[in-house]
Amino acid sequence: MITVVLATGNPGKVRELSRLLSGLDVELVGVKDVLGQALEVPELGDSFESNAVEKARRVCAATGLVSVADDSGLEVLALGGRPGVRSARFAHERATDAENNAALLAALEEEVDRRARFVCVLALATPWAEQVVTVRGVCDGKIARGVSGSGGFGYDPLFVVERADGKTMAELSAEEKDALSHRGLAVRALAAELERLLARQRHEAENIAFLR
Ligand code: IMP
């Protein structure tokens, strides 16, 4: 079994990633569990990929452990892809989910075209390889005219999922969200990468045992 550090402090993401990765033969730990404190990595990149890679790389370097980072957000077509990488800070720098939702409704007040998508990029960094692997999951939908539902986090109460019969993400059960969400899709792609990693590690351990 290998230990994997989740390079995120967002409680909504930690909850979902732990749930989604629980089927794998890995021990999941948080950055605080390893370092005793959070590691602030500023999100300076202009893409989900660059932010996720930076977070995974920094946490991997600081802990010496395999690290998985998530950078995700909402892209609204009529807003030219905003809020995008600034999803957590759409209303202002330290915005709450409720403030971001209110700001989004205000920005789309007159708008008829409400198409949007959630994007999740996961990055996997290992202490023994330079290259950081990334995977991406996308979930299509549209922005409702008001909030509904109490599940999930972030923009979930405003996001009507294309494949969920008019329900918002916040009206889905945890299992339903995992089956359809951007994060669920990305995690399933990442699981394949982690399986490869585990297989290689097993192979190397067998080789070492053989040479002894
Ligand atoms: P960051 O990746 O920490 O920059 O934050 C991403 C932001 O995007 C979150 O704070 C949410 O506002 C939003 N977001 C990402 N994933 C989800 C999701 O699954 N549901 C709702 N909002 C999300």
Side-chain angles (χ1 to χ4, degrees):
M1 194 192 269
I2 56 167
T3 302
V4 174
V5 195
L6 285 185
T8 175
N10 180 320
K13 290 185 188 175
V14 171
R15 205 167 42 242
E16 292 189 6
L17 288 170
S18 308
R19 192 166 76 214
L20 283 158
L21 289 165
S22 64
L24 293 178
D25 191 21
V26 295
E27 181 202 15
L28 290 175
V29 294
V31 179
K32 267 192 184 166
D33 303 328
V34 186
L35 299 179
Q37 59 185 39
L39 187 78
E40 285 301 323
V41 182
E43 289 183 355
L44 303 173
D46 57 6
S47 71
F48 295 116
E49 273 78 7
S50 56
N51 286 333
V53 166
E54 182 64 14
K55 276 188 254 183
R57 210 171 245 152
R58 292 274 291 273
V59 168
C60 178
T63 61
L65 294 168
V66 174
S67 305
V68 170
D70 164 309
D71 197 42
S72 49
L74 180 71
E75 293 182 337
V76 179
L77 199 65
L79 300 179
R82 283 190 308 134
V85 289
R86 295 194 48 83
S87 291
R89 292 157 279 140
F90 186 50
H92 58 87
E93 267 319 297
R94 306 193 67 82
T96 62
D97 288 345
E99 287 172 328
N100 282 330
N101 283 330
L104 182 61
L105 282 176
L108 291 176
E109 202 175 8
E110 307 288 326
E111 190 52 65
V112 185
D113 181 356
R114 307 187 72 87
R115 285 175 293 169
R117 62 182 196 173
F118 271 133
V119 178
C120 172
V121 171
L122 297 175
L124 173 69
T126 57
W128 54 84
E130 250 305 289
Q131 205 203 344
V132 178
V133 174
T134 61
V135 292
R136 175 178 257 252
V138 174
C139 178
D140 291 312
K142 56 183 199 271
I143 305 303
R145 294 200 172 265
V147 292
S148 17
S150 57
F153 68 101
Y155 296 95
D156 281 348
L158 281 182
F159 187 85
V160 180
V161 186
E162 192 170 277
R163 293 168 56 212
D165 298 329
K167 284 188 188 168
T168 68
M169 200 69 112
E171 292 177 304
L172 302 182
S173 67
E175 294 71 30
E176 287 168 330
K177 179 171 180 183
D178 289 350
L180 296 172
S181 81
H182 49 312
R183 191 163 294 102
L185 290 166
V187 164
R188 285 189 283 283
L190 186 84
E193 297 293 340
L194 276 170
E195 290 291 0
R196 260 194 285 281
L197 202 74
L198 290 170
R200 203 169 59 221
Q201 228 195 16
R202 267 195 299 274
H203 183 70
E204 275 163 22
E206 279 161 16
N207 274 351
I208 290 168
F210 177 74
L211 291 172
R212 274 204 182 118

